[in-house]
Amino acid sequence: MAPRTPGADLPDHPDRLWRSADPESSYDVVIVGGGGHGLATAYYLAVNHGITNIAVLERGWLAGGNMARNTTIIRSNYLWDESAGLYEHALKLWEGLEDELDYPLLFSQRGVLNLAHSLQEVRDGVRRVGANRLNGIDAEWLDTEQVAEACPILNTSPDLRYPVLGATWQPRAGIAKHDHVAWGFARALDLLGVDLVEGCEVTGFERVGDRVIGVETTRGPIRAGRVALAAAGHTSVLADTLGLRLPLQSHPLQALVSELLEPVHPTVVMSNAVHVYVSQAHKGELVLGAGIDSYNSYGQRGAFHTIERELAAAVELFPMFSRAHVVRTWAGVVDVTPDASAIMGPTPFEGLYVNCGWGTGGFKATPGVGWCFAHTIANGEPHPLNAPFGLERFTTGALIDEHGAAGVAH
Amino acid sequence: MMLIPCPWCGPRNETEFHYGGQADVACPGDPHAVSDAEWAGFLFFRDNPKGVFTERWMHRSGCRRWFTVRRDTATNEIHDAGAHEDEERTVTV
């Protein structure tokens, strides 16, 4: 690999891509949450369903929540059919999204390795590769030597405390530049005439009986034909104002980056057992993440021992990282469900739709969420791909248990 | 890193503890006597307030006893552990 200036292939910083709108008094659809999911949902409402009288309300600045805090990993190699359907639909949309939005997203299909460090993980990985293939998803099982070939900087020697016994490999997986994804959607929405309202926090709902007819905000009441929640870690706070109980627990999820380095890491590596996931951003930072902090919190900060464990795991797997420095750490607030799968669909309140519970893995689903949630809102009933993800599954027992099964690492 | 007040050992580092989630979640005495919705409520639905939360911790690396703490989930400020029964609670129902 030839030396090059870190970030040399990045586009220049863009001019203003959208107007920050003042809220009107009423809209056909109000989307609560101006992150990736909210923006993508507004986009597909406009493009697929012809609904453009939409406001996306964001309490802070656009895409400044988890959309700005995630580790940008995109993959669809989930075990269960329901998840595979939704995430693979998202991945297919990612593959055309730069053209669709006419904006550079730096979508890079560099593949993901999910490492196995024990016999059980080997069996689970081989099983998941089989399940993925049956669902038409690209997946291979790699032995230790093949893993070393795919990612030469990985320590694959047998003297590791938890040696790398193999890995699943999804070549079409990768990363994208999260800010650009938000900006691409926001720019497109602006051109479509959708109002992106920043600095507008939703504090409650207007109701007639069990029908939601609008929202109360820090910038006044806004009427809405339909209200759609895409508020991630703060969904419970909104639902509480309606007395609507959701099976969510909000936790801090931390991530960190190193300084800018020459390209050293060709792919994405995830390990559940020693618990770290690493890729190298286009600009050159190593981007690392791991599990949530154990306790409920809305603090957007976590404890240092979580970072310490994550870095210990990273240095064990990538000895050369011991020379890198942590430049920044941060946290987002993620809403975790009991089965580690998202909730998307109608609610007991007419006119109110919810998309939440994406926990630690929502970024990869962004366009798929937009597609399916828009369908749900436009038609009043779920798209076939998100029908299994309804709130009712916690009562019927039809859970989509991705804990561990899909390399979901909580 | 939080300092968590173990009622028996005093304040210790968060790393010594195991988190147990919401306190006072009662298991239905007779699971067959409750509806599916009530059973789901017990299994899967917990309060998730942004504010004071009454929660369980276990002093894993110390006395290994469970106890209840009231903590503000927005600030991590821990309220008096002993007086929790009388204090106002932030709950979603």
Side-chain angles (χ1 to χ4, degrees):
Chain A
M1 227 180 295
R4 48 153 212 141
T5 310
D9 55 349
L10 289 176
D12 288 335
H13 201 273
D15 293 331
R16 195 80 188 160
L17 294 169
W18 64 93
R19 75 214 136 78
S20 199
D22 290 321
E24 305 283 341
S25 59
S26 113
Y27 292 92
D28 291 341
V29 177
V30 162
I31 295 171
V32 184
H37 287 193
L39 294 170
T41 301
Y43 178 77
Y44 289 110
L45 271 172
V47 169
N48 290 0
H49 304 281
I51 301 171
T52 55
N53 185 20
I54 305 172
V56 181
L57 309 182
E58 169 53 48
R59 72 190 180 111
W61 64 91
L62 203 81
N66 293 347
M67 190 62 173
R69 296 157 198 270
N70 68 84
T71 51
T72 79
I73 298 169
I74 295 164
R75 62 190 177 91
S76 65
N77 56 351
Y78 281 67
L79 177 67
W80 301 114
D81 294 348
E82 297 87 346
S83 314
L86 191 49
Y87 287 109
E88 177 61 14
H89 183 61
L91 181 49
K92 289 202 171 97
L93 290 172
W94 278 114
E95 286 173 329
L97 202 57
E98 293 198 344
D99 289 339
E100 169 87 23
L101 297 177
D102 190 23
Y103 196 76
L105 308 178
L106 283 77
F107 177 53
S108 161
Q109 292 179 290
R110 55 184 65 186
V112 63
L113 290 166
N114 291 84
L115 304 182
H117 300 273
S118 67
L119 184 55
Q120 187 59 50
E121 281 198 314
V122 170
R123 288 171 178 154
D124 290 345
V126 170
R127 177 192 179 197
R128 184 157 51 77
V129 164
N132 288 164
R133 285 186 177 173
L134 287 171
N135 277 317
I137 293 169
D138 56 321
E140 292 168 45
W141 176 256
L142 304 188
D143 63 23
T144 309
E145 269 177 38
Q146 293 170 308
V147 171
E149 232 169 86
C151 186
I153 60 170
L154 196 56
N155 184 358
T156 49
S157 70
D159 56 356
L160 275 182
R161 172 66 183 84
Y162 299 103
V164 177
L165 302 180
T168 66
W169 171 241
Q170 184 182 20
R172 286 163 61 241
I175 58 173
K177 194 153 170 56
H178 51 97
D179 287 336
H180 284 227
V181 177
W183 298 342
F185 276 118
R187 174 176 164 275
L189 287 168
D190 194 63
L191 295 172
L192 288 161
V194 170
D195 278 359
L196 307 176
V197 186
E198 298 173 88
C200 181
E201 181 171 1
V202 172
T203 54
F205 298 89
E206 285 188 72
R207 284 168 58 178
V208 174
D210 280 345
R211 179 172 177 78
V212 168
I213 58 162
V215 292
E216 291 155 13
T217 81
T218 50
R219 296 178 69 174
I222 302 171
R223 285 294 178 99
R226 287 158 197 205
V227 176
L229 303 185
H234 278 72
T235 305
S236 295
V237 176
L238 291 164
D240 281 355
T241 67
L242 287 168
L244 171 64
R245 256 171 104 71
L246 298 171
L248 299 174
Q249 297 283 277
S250 295
H251 290 265
L253 176 65
Q254 302 189 72
L256 61 94
V257 289
S258 74
E259 72 272 48
L260 307 187
L261 301 166
E262 289 294 328
V264 290
H265 184 12
T267 178
V268 181
V269 171
M270 307 181 68
S271 164
N272 275 3
V274 301
H275 214 167
V276 68
Y277 37 90
V278 192
S279 65
Q280 186 169 19
H282 296 80
K283 207 162 51 175
E285 312 104 310
L286 298 169
V287 183
L288 284 80
I292 54 174
D293 280 53
S294 68
Y295 48 83
N296 291 26
S297 176
Y298 287 85
Q300 288 190 327
R301 56 184 293 195
F304 186 70
H305 65 85
T306 306
I307 297 282
E308 196 177 13
R309 267 205 298 259
E310 169 181 340
L311 288 175
V315 171
E316 168 112 333
L317 288 175
F318 301 91
M320 62 156 38
F321 288 3
S322 66
R323 304 302 175 107
H325 302 86
V326 174
V327 173
R328 279 182 293 126
T329 78
W330 64 90
V333 181
V334 298
D335 43 332
V336 176
T337 61
D339 61 356
S341 288
I343 299 167
M344 201 200 304
T347 68
F349 291 89
E350 204 186 332
L352 180 71
Y353 301 87
V354 68
N355 167 60
C356 63
W358 286 94
T360 62
F363 176 76
K364 69 175 78 67
T366 299
V369 167
W371 188 283
C372 293
F373 199 33
H375 178 104
T376 305
I377 297 160
N379 296 293
E381 55 186 45
H383 186 280
L385 285 174
N386 68 293
F389 291 86
L391 188 52
E392 65 284 350
R393 76 176 185 271
F394 297 97
T395 305
T396 63
L399 302 181
I400 306 164
D401 187 7
E402 289 291 357
H403 270 299
V408 174
H410 285 311
Chain B
M1 177 86 68
M2 290 189 284
L3 273 182
I4 294 171
C6 172
W8 294 281
C9 309
R12 300 291 184 92
N13 279 342
E14 177 194 328
T15 46
E16 294 188 14
F17 296 87
H18 171 76
Y19 187 59
Q22 182 179 346
D24 306 326
V25 177
C27 181
D30 178 5
H32 300 288
V34 297
S35 68
D36 285 355
E38 287 168 324
W39 186 244
F42 164 67
L43 282 183
F44 299 128
F45 289 71
R46 297 290 180 269
D47 292 344
N48 188 28
K50 185 177 187 175
V52 179
F53 190 43
T54 307
E55 62 191 10
R56 299 289 278 170
W57 288 85
M58 193 265 275
H59 195 186
R60 180 170 52 190
S61 307
C63 63
R64 301 195 59 78
R65 287 208 267 186
W66 285 95
F67 57 96
T68 298
V69 166
R70 286 166 49 75
R71 181 179 55 92
D72 191 313
T73 59
T75 62
N76 282 344
E77 184 194 354
I78 290 176
H79 294 229
D80 180 12
H84 76 272
E85 293 298 339
D86 309 324
E87 282 187 65
E88 189 190 340
R89 304 179 61 156
T90 310
V91 291
T92 54
V93 284

